[in-house]
């Protein structure tokens, strides 16, 4: 089993639930490194001190906060230990809220919480209570020298922990949410838009969705290794929309025709990935 990201206890009133947290997801990416064009050596960014004019060992590195240009308040590891809150070992649930009240924009990283061996009963009790009440726990936990507010959510018969973006971390953009809702829409336009949404509606199946660029990048690497020709991905072609009503009618018609023929309106991603690999490796 993978190493845990956090080990401690989840506090539920006077009930203590020993748990471990494991990352629930991680990015799967092909990383392109910076290469020296002359000798094809990977370039690295070493720790270099411009004042001492020499390379610096990891053991010489401490932390500091820049108070003003070039001047730092130095922080030792011992200082950090003194100010680390109790949530570094105990994740105390502060409240329970309805899941429907939480905007997904507040969700950050996700972790799978597992009970410690031979101590699963309080874990199962909390899980059952959350499932029956349709609630989400709000708690605090300190990891990686930062205190997080987290959501404790029942999912697939287990507890999943989501770190939360704080309110001051949510960005705003001028004009967002201020679009003119008084724009006149024809009833037929609304009906056609809803019909198009309905025709494209389906159950959510996350395994259907893939990163096509990453698939093509892997195929590109394979083609490069084998000395094969790389064929450019065809550019997307879209007809200019002159009349919104006509565009809606055409979209609905094409969607319904695709369903009648049992041919998806979009090529399945898995197939698209294979086709992309064939194109790149041909």
């Amino acid at each position: 089993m993978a190493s845990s990201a956090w080990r401690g206890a989840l506090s539920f009133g006077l009930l203590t639930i020993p748990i471990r947290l494991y990352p629930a997801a991680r990015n799967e990416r092909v990383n392109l490194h910076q290469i020296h064009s002359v000798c094809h050596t990977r370039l690295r960014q070493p720790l270099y001190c411009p004042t001492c004019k020499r390379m610096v060992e990891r053991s010489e590195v401490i932390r500091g906060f820049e108070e003003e240009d070039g001047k730092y308040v130095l922080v030792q590891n011992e200082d950090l230990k003194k100010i680390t809150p109790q949530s570094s070992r105990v994740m105390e649930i502060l409240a329970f809220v309805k899941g429907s009240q939480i905007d997904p924009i507040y969700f950050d990283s996700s972790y799978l919480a597992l009970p410690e061996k031979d101590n699963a009963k309080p874990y199962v009790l909390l899980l059952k209570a959350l499932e029956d009440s349709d609630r989400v726990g709000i708690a605090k936990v300190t990891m990686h020298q930062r205190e997080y507010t987290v959501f404790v959510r029942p999912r697939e018969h287990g507890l999943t922990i989501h770190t939360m973006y704080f309110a001051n971390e949510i960005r705003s953009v001028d004009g967002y949410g201020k679009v003119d809702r008084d724009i006149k829409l024809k009833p037929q336009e609304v009906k056609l838009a809803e019909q198009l949404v309905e025709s494209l509606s389906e159950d959510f199946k996350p395994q259907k969705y893939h990163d096509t660029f990453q698939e093509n990048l892997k195929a590109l690497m394979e083609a490069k290794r084998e000395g094969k020709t790389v064929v450019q991905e065809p550019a997307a072609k879209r007809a200019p929309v002159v009349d919104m009503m006509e565009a809606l009618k055409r979209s609905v018609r094409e969607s319904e025709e695709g369903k009648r023929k049992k041919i998806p309106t979009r090529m399945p991603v898995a197939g698209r990935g294979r086709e992309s690999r064939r194109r790149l490796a041909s």
Side-chain angles (χ1 to χ4, degrees):
M1 182 179 289
S3 58
S4 59
W6 186 86
R7 179 182 179 184
L10 177 59
S11 174
F12 171 33
L14 298 178
L15 194 65
T16 298
I17 309 171
I19 61 170
R20 295 189 185 205
L21 299 186
Y22 297 86
R26 66 178 180 180
N27 289 327
E28 295 288 348
R29 298 286 187 269
V30 174
N31 295 315
L32 297 178
H33 303 291
Q34 296 184 42
I35 306 298
H36 188 192
S37 62
V38 176
C39 62
H40 296 176
T41 301
R42 178 179 171 182
L43 300 176
R44 302 183 183 277
Q45 299 187 20
L47 294 172
Y48 178 78
C49 177
T51 300
C52 298
K53 297 182 179 179
R54 67 176 178 85
M55 306 299 293
V56 174
E57 298 292 333
R58 287 283 179 185
S59 59
E60 299 178 81
V61 178
I62 60 174
R63 295 176 177 85
F65 173 77
E66 189 170 14
E67 191 174 32
E68 55 183 273
D69 189 26
K71 294 184 179 180
Y72 296 87
V73 177
L74 303 182
V75 179
Q76 304 289 342
N77 288 334
E78 292 74 14
D79 299 323
L80 295 175
K81 290 179 181 179
K82 291 177 182 178
I83 65 170
T84 300
Q86 294 181 0
S87 58
S88 64
R89 299 299 299 168
V90 178
M91 186 190 311
E92 181 182 2
I93 294 181
L94 307 174
F96 294 98
V97 302
K98 292 181 179 180
S100 59
Q101 295 179 334
I102 303 173
D103 189 326
I105 199 171
Y106 287 98
F107 282 69
D108 186 9
S109 299
S110 302
Y111 296 86
L112 303 177
L114 292 182
E116 293 286 10
K117 292 182 179 179
D118 305 321
N119 205 344
K121 187 172 182 178
Y123 178 97
V124 174
L125 178 61
L126 176 59
L127 174 61
K128 175 68 172 171
L130 291 177
E131 289 176 335
D132 291 349
S133 63
D134 192 26
R135 298 277 173 165
V136 173
I138 306 292
K140 282 186 175 291
V141 61
T142 296
M143 296 187 295
H144 316 307
Q145 296 179 351
R146 178 184 173 184
E147 186 175 55
Y148 297 89
T149 297
V150 298
F151 304 112
V152 183
R153 183 172 70 92
R155 172 184 165 273
E156 295 184 356
H157 312 299
L159 293 176
T160 299
I161 310 294
H162 305 276
T163 56
M164 186 190 90
Y165 283 115
F166 292 109
N168 65 303
E169 295 176 319
I170 304 299
R171 299 292 179 255
S172 61
V173 177
D174 289 340
Y176 178 80
K178 297 179 181 179
V179 63
D180 185 5
R181 298 298 297 269
D182 294 328
I183 292 176
K184 299 299 181 182
L185 298 173
K186 298 177 182 178
Q188 192 175 1
E189 291 174 337
V190 176
K191 183 178 179 180
L192 283 169
E194 292 173 348
Q195 191 175 345
L196 179 57
V197 169
E198 180 61 31
S199 68
L200 293 173
S201 296
E202 60 182 37
D203 292 332
F204 177 55
K205 297 178 181 178
Q207 62 272 18
K208 287 183 58 176
Y209 304 98
H210 298 261
D211 186 334
T212 305
F213 178 77
Q214 283 292 310
E215 290 176 345
N216 288 350
L217 185 56
K218 291 175 183 177
L220 172 63
M221 298 299 102
E222 184 179 344
K224 287 280 190 179
R225 282 194 295 267
E226 297 177 1
K228 295 182 178 180
T229 303
V230 178
V231 180
Q232 183 174 345
E233 184 81 10
K237 295 181 179 179
R238 287 185 177 272
V241 177
V242 178
D243 182 88
M244 190 168 69
M245 182 77 76
E246 181 58 33
L248 284 168
K249 289 180 180 178
R250 181 177 174 183
S251 298
V252 171
R253 185 168 60 250
E254 291 179 354
S255 177
E256 291 178 345
E257 287 176 356
K259 279 193 172 182
R260 280 197 298 269
K261 295 177 183 178
K262 295 185 178 180
I263 300 175
T265 54
R266 295 190 180 111
M267 186 181 296
V269 177
R272 187 169 67 231
R274 288 194 294 271
E275 180 65 25
S276 297
R277 285 192 285 273
R278 284 196 291 270
R279 285 198 301 271
L280 286 166
S282 60

